[in-house]
């Protein structure tokens, strides 16, 4: 059994959907990438729960079953999202959380840990740095603003499978089903499309500060683990080294053979993440007030 249950958390007039795996230990927050959902990292969530951690995995605003931002122009920038997620954490977590963030979810963790260090006990980042090349921002802004449509779930599943294969991160059949379901929505004409709000693309045009995160990274006071996929096209080896050098509480780890688009399913990656969080102690030792 998965062991998770869902809640809809009110944030102003909107609601955020979250999956929760309850346990008696400290809370771990799993934050997905820009167009991900709470289904992205369920194997990691299950293994964290098996090790005694309570896990919360929300759909970010505009993703999955969460409402879209009421401000489509700037509501998906990290500054606004940090305010939203702090309200979310007030409702679902007692005290600081251990944050595991992939891609944009990691960038959001940097922003929150830099602004409000008392919120974050430890920080695990997967394949995200403090910057993003302008060319990649342009491509993402254009691509995410016009998601494709498909005649049925089978066609969408084939599309998602090809996406992961091209990225070099092919999924098992069961995981491909899980991701396909999480990433899909039924369209009014009976077809299938991506789950996310296309206005997510506005972040890449309207929020340049989100791709210059050094001021927030330099204020991160908790223990941090920066994981880089060996074949990443987002986080360079040079930036990884620079981030570790500028923060004495940060450790760098390169995952052999891994790419940017990774669901953190491998035993090696999960053990690295869980061992790091466990090493921080069960009392949130790393929190700086």
């Amino acid at each position: 059994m998965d062991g998770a249950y869902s809640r809809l958390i009110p944030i102003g007039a909107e609601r955020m959907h979250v999956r929760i795996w309850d346990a008696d230990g400290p809370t771990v927050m799993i934050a997905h990438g820009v167009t991900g959902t709470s289904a992205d990292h369920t194997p990691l969530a299950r293994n964290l729960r098996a090790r005694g951690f309570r896990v919360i995995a929300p759909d970010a605003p505009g993703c999955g079953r969460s409402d879209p931002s009421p401000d489509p122009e700037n509501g998906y920038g990290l500054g606004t999202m940090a305010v939203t997620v702090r309200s979310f954490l007030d409702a679902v977590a007692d005290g600081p959380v251990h944050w595991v963030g992939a891609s944009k979810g990691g960038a959001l963790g940097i922003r929150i840990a830099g602004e409000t260090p008392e919120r974050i006990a430890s920080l695990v980042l997967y394949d995200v740095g403090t910057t993003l090349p302008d060319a990649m921002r342009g491509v993402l802004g254009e691509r995410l603003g016009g998601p494709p449509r498909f005649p049925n779930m089978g066609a969408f599943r084939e599309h998602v499978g090809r996406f992961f294969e091209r990225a070099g991160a092919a999924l098992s059949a069961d995981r491909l089903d899980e991701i396909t379901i999480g990433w899909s929505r039924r369209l009014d004409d009976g077809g299938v499309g991506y789950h996310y709000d296309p206005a997510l693309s506005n972040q890449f045009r309207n929020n340049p500060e989100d791709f210059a995160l050094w001021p927030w990274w330099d204020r991160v006071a908790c223990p941090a683990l920066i994981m880089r996929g060996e074949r990443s096209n987002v986080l360079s080896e040079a930036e990884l080294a620079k981030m570790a050098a500028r923060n004495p509480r940060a450790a760098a780890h390169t995952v052999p053979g891994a790419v940017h688009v990774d669901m953190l399913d491998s035993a090696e990656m999960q053990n690295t993440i869980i061992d790091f969080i466990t090493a921080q102690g069960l009392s949130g030792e790393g929190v700086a007030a």
Side-chain angles (χ1 to χ4, degrees):
M1 295 293 290
D2 181 83
Y5 62 92
S6 287
R7 288 184 60 195
L8 292 172
I9 306 301
I11 309 292
E14 284 70 47
R15 301 258 170 173
M16 277 184 67
H17 168 250
V18 59
R19 297 177 73 190
I20 300 173
W21 289 259
D22 265 336
D24 293 333
T27 297
V28 178
M29 161 89 172
I30 300 180
H32 61 71
V34 61
T35 59
T37 72
S38 57
D40 282 14
H41 308 298
T42 50
L44 173 62
R46 295 183 194 112
N47 284 339
L48 280 160
R49 182 177 182 269
R51 293 280 288 270
F53 293 98
R54 177 176 181 263
V55 182
I56 54 177
D59 293 332
C63 293
R65 294 178 175 86
S66 290
D67 282 328
S69 171
D71 177 7
E73 290 301 316
N74 291 292
Y76 297 117
L78 298 180
T80 299
M81 287 189 66
V83 173
T84 299
V85 171
R86 281 191 287 266
S87 295
F88 164 79
L89 290 174
D90 285 342
V92 299
D94 294 327
V97 299
H98 297 278
W99 185 285
V100 179
S103 194
K104 183 178 180 177
L108 181 59
I110 293 173
R111 179 78 186 236
I112 292 175
E115 287 183 339
T116 49
E118 70 279 3
R119 297 281 190 154
I120 308 297
S122 69
L123 185 62
V124 177
L125 310 175
Y126 180 71
D127 216 63
V128 62
T130 60
T131 64
L132 189 68
D134 289 345
M136 187 170 291
R137 286 172 53 194
V139 168
L140 289 170
E142 181 176 350
R143 183 182 299 164
L144 299 185
R149 304 162 69 91
F150 303 88
N152 51 49
M153 284 291 283
F156 183 66
R157 184 182 187 276
E158 290 179 4
H159 165 80
V160 173
R162 288 194 300 270
F163 167 77
F164 280 99
E165 288 173 2
R166 287 196 303 269
L171 301 173
S172 69
D174 287 347
R175 281 291 278 147
L176 179 55
D177 284 347
E178 184 175 29
I179 297 300
T180 297
I181 293 166
W183 285 11
S184 65
R185 68 182 178 94
R186 185 66 63 182
L187 303 175
D188 290 344
D189 63 4
V192 176
Y194 274 94
H195 64 92
Y196 65 84
D197 180 4
L200 283 167
S201 63
N202 291 333
Q203 178 200 15
F204 297 96
R205 291 184 289 269
N206 299 343
N207 301 101
E209 69 280 2
D210 290 355
F211 311 103
L213 290 173
W214 288 115
W216 291 277
W217 176 248
D218 288 340
R219 294 199 294 269
V220 170
C222 64
L225 174 65
I226 317 160
M227 301 175 68
R228 175 184 180 269
E230 183 182 32
R231 295 188 287 149
S232 173
N233 61 348
V234 172
L235 177 59
S236 69
E237 291 182 78
E239 183 161 347
L240 175 68
K242 187 176 180 181
M243 290 176 71
R246 286 175 65 153
N247 189 324
R249 304 204 73 184
H253 177 77
T254 296
V255 183
V259 297
H260 178 71
V261 181
D262 197 294
M263 298 291 100
L264 312 181
D265 287 350
S266 77
E268 189 273 340
M269 295 176 80
Q270 293 190 15
N271 287 337
T272 298
I273 292 168
I274 295 171
D275 289 348
F276 173 80
I277 295 172
T278 301
Q280 309 317 313
L282 299 182
S283 62
E285 171 272 328
V287 180

